[in-house]
Amino acid sequence: MINDRPTGPSGHSRTAGRLSVQMYVAIKTRLLRGNAPPGARLSVEELRAEFGVSKQPVMEALRLLTADGLVEILPQIGCVVTTYSPEEVEDFFHMFAAVQGAVAAVAALHCTPAALDELDIVSQQIRALAANPDQEIRNDYLRLNRDFHECIHSIAGSRMITDTSRRMWDLSDFLINTARMAQPMATSIDGRQDDHDRIRNALASRDADAAKAEMEQHVLETLDLLQGWDLTLSADPDRRGSVDRGNPCNGSLPPCRP
């Protein structure tokens, strides 16, 4: 249980701030893993009771998650997991590819042998996953994939790039894990790692143009892996990203009680 009792006269605001961050991380982790489907209602009261905190840190955490694009706060409904249409998802990955391509180009100009060693360590771990027949273990690919790309962000050497990329990677993981299909990445690890090898070689050659092109293609190929999207839960076809207002308790985190 999270303890939100203030420790002194000014302890309440400091503690509440820490609790908000803890709640933000806990709820975001669930959302990024796809534990709640798009349109699922998030009950403040149930989250408060589950984590043993007051409503304030839960509500603040949900406000932070709205800024990340992971949840929406809707009048008469409350807080729900964001629903994106297939068109919005496609637009996002085109933008994401352009940003990550630019990051790779910058990284190519700053790449060092030590940085390549770090990339190679992660690549070896990904290859080991690909060789493992256990589907649950193979599902760990997204974490290692994130590690590989975060190494590239570190090579680029910009805090602004790292912070911006992290938010986009969060949304990418969310969209992949809520795509209403069996984990698509776990069945394509070898091909994805072949992409990583080409990116790595472009970085090693300090070829910014090649690194940019390989990275953009790598990200855009995610769209091919998500052709089985079933992302539209909206009862209103004219509103992208809406929820099924006929059943706002359609799935939740934790389960929503009508």
Side-chain angles (χ1 to χ4, degrees), residues 3 25 32 42 46 49 53 59 66 72 75 85 108 113 124 146 154 172 174-176 179 184-185 194 219 242 244:
N3 180 11
V25 171
L32 296 187
L42 305 183
E46 291 183 3
V53 300
M59 294 175 67
T66 62
E72 295 179 285
S85 71
Q124 290 168 8
R146 185 83 169 251
S154 297
S172 173
F174 171 78
L175 293 172
I176 290 169
M185 299 302 176
D194 288 344
V219 174
S242 62
D244 183 352

Side-chain angles (χ1 to χ4, degrees), residues 24 26 40 49 63 67 69-70 75 79 86 100-101 123 129 148-149 176 197 222 246:
Y24 166 76
R63 281 193 288 269
L70 301 180
C79 187
Q100 292 306 300
S123 292
L129 271 189
F148 180 89
H149 288 277
I176 290 169
D197 289 343
T222 304

Side-chain angles (χ1 to χ4, degrees), residues 62-201:
L62 294 176
R63 281 193 288 269
L64 292 172
L65 290 166
T66 62
D68 291 340
L70 301 180
V71 303
E72 295 179 285
I73 298 177
L74 303 175
Q76 313 304 319
I77 294 177
C79 187
V80 299
V81 180
T82 303
T83 301
Y84 290 99
S85 71
E87 292 82 8
E88 288 174 310
V89 175
E90 185 171 359
D91 289 345
F92 165 76
F93 277 104
H94 279 282
M95 177 178 65
F96 189 32
V99 171
Q100 292 306 300
V103 172
V106 173
L109 302 177
H110 300 281
C111 195
T112 65
L116 291 173
D117 288 342
E118 291 185 19
L119 285 174
D120 290 342
I121 290 172
V122 179
S123 292
Q124 290 168 8
Q125 294 173 322
I126 293 175
R127 288 293 185 193
L129 271 189
N132 195 311
D134 189 323
Q135 183 72 15
E136 290 302 315
I137 294 176
R138 288 165 65 88
N139 284 346
D140 200 34
Y141 168 76
L142 284 180
R143 178 185 62 81
L144 289 174
N145 180 62
R146 185 83 169 251
D147 289 346
F148 180 89
H149 288 277
E150 285 185 352
C151 285
I152 296 176
H153 301 159
S154 297
I155 297 170
S158 168
R159 185 175 62 183
M160 183 177 296
I161 285 176
T162 299
D163 290 345
T164 301
S165 291
R166 182 178 296 116
R167 290 167 65 89
M168 297 186 78
W169 273 102
D170 284 347
L171 188 52
S172 173
D173 286 350
F174 171 78
L175 293 172
I176 290 169
N177 283 327
T178 57
R180 299 300 186 90
M181 60 188 297
Q183 175 54 262
M185 299 302 176
T187 59
S188 57
I189 296 175
D190 279 324
R192 304 295 285 177
Q193 184 54 40
D194 288 344
D195 291 349
H196 287 176
D197 289 343
R198 286 189 290 270
I199 294 167
R200 184 259 188 216
N201 291 338

Side-chain angles (χ1 to χ4, degrees), residues 217-233:
Q217 182 62 31
H218 174 60
V219 174
L220 287 174
E221 283 175 358
T222 304
L223 292 174
D224 295 332
L225 296 172
L226 297 177
Q227 290 303 306
W229 287 332
D230 179 16
L231 297 170
T232 305
L233 302 181

